[in-house]
Amino acid sequence: MAATIDAPRAASGSSARCAALVLGALLGLSGCRKDHADEARALLRQAEEALAHQQWEVAQGHTARVAALSGLPEALRDQTRLREEQARAEIAARAQYARFAGSLETDPDTAVTIYKELPQTSYYRAQAREAYERLRPSYISAHLEKARAALQNHRCDDQKAQLQLVLEVDPTNAAAIEQGKAPCQPAE
């Protein structure tokens, strides 16, 4: 008796398509994630390059493209958020710097306030540093003089406020510390 070998039955159309989709999805996801991770790394390098050249909006564009990619490791997402935050902070600091530069000659008090608000790590704080250092001595002198006048006119709260402004920009200012020790008799 001859053995018969049954031919494999053809899978139904829907189950074959389903199997192909599942297999394709499994194979595609692993390759897709790797491709997305490589693309994300390349975009982050471009974002870092843009940040190094003060091209904040370009860096934001690169980070936005990374954020739109799916299946990225959390570490890449964290790096993306950091670069995005840095670009956003520098854009805000650029506007502050413009206000700082515009107020240097006309309103030194505003310029000093703005300088103190610039983030320590900002490119624009470094740019403003030299102008701030030139402004600081006259700012200190002006507020020490206002404190002396307030003391002479028995305006104790005004004197304290003026001395506080000096000490905020020069915490070890000897003249401000000495003036702060002087007794002030409020006006009656």
Side-chain angles (χ1 to χ4, degrees):
M1 173 155 132
T4 59
I5 300 177
D6 290 331
R9 290 189 323 179
S12 72
S14 64
S15 63
R17 279 191 303 268
C18 184
L21 286 173
V22 169
L23 181 59
L26 289 174
L27 293 174
L29 279 180
S30 64
C32 183
R33 283 189 180 154
K34 183 178 181 341
D35 290 347
H36 281 183
D38 290 344
E39 181 181 356
R41 285 185 192 91
L43 287 167
L44 280 176
R45 281 191 297 276
Q46 292 172 356
E48 289 167 358
E49 183 73 19
L51 290 170
H53 290 95
Q54 297 80 48
Q55 298 171 331
W56 319 124
E57 290 83 0
V58 172
Q60 275 188 315
H62 292 312
T63 59
R65 287 178 54 201
V66 172
L69 296 174
S70 61
L72 294 179
E74 197 58 35
L76 278 175
R77 295 233 175 260
D78 290 343
Q79 290 175 13
T80 302
R81 279 189 286 275
L82 289 173
R83 299 305 176 269
E84 166 60 26
E85 288 169 11
Q86 183 181 358
R88 194 172 342 108
E90 290 295 352
I91 289 169
R94 180 176 54 202
Q96 286 178 291
Y97 177 77
R99 288 184 31 239
F100 167 80
S103 64
L104 275 171
E105 300 297 322
T106 59
D107 189 357
D109 285 3
T110 297
V112 168
T113 300
I114 293 169
Y115 179 81
K116 291 188 301 185
E117 292 171 356
L118 284 168
Q120 292 286 332
T121 59
S122 173
Y123 167 83
Y124 294 102
R125 185 175 180 109
Q127 294 299 302
R129 180 98 182 146
E130 186 178 324
Y132 169 76
E133 290 300 334
R134 284 193 312 267
L135 173 66
R136 205 165 70 104
S138 62
Y139 173 87
I140 290 170
S141 294
H143 286 285
L144 284 173
E145 185 53 41
K146 289 177 184 179
R148 277 193 228 35
L151 177 63
Q152 290 172 349
N153 291 307
H154 306 285
R155 294 187 335 263
C156 302
D157 289 341
D158 288 345
Q159 179 209 21
K160 287 178 186 175
Q162 294 300 319
L163 293 175
Q164 183 60 39
L165 290 172
V166 171
L167 293 171
E168 285 175 3
V169 298
D170 185 2
T172 61
N173 186 284
I177 292 169
E178 279 304 308
Q179 247 192 78
K181 293 178 184 176
C184 182
Q185 298 297 322
E188 295 178 22

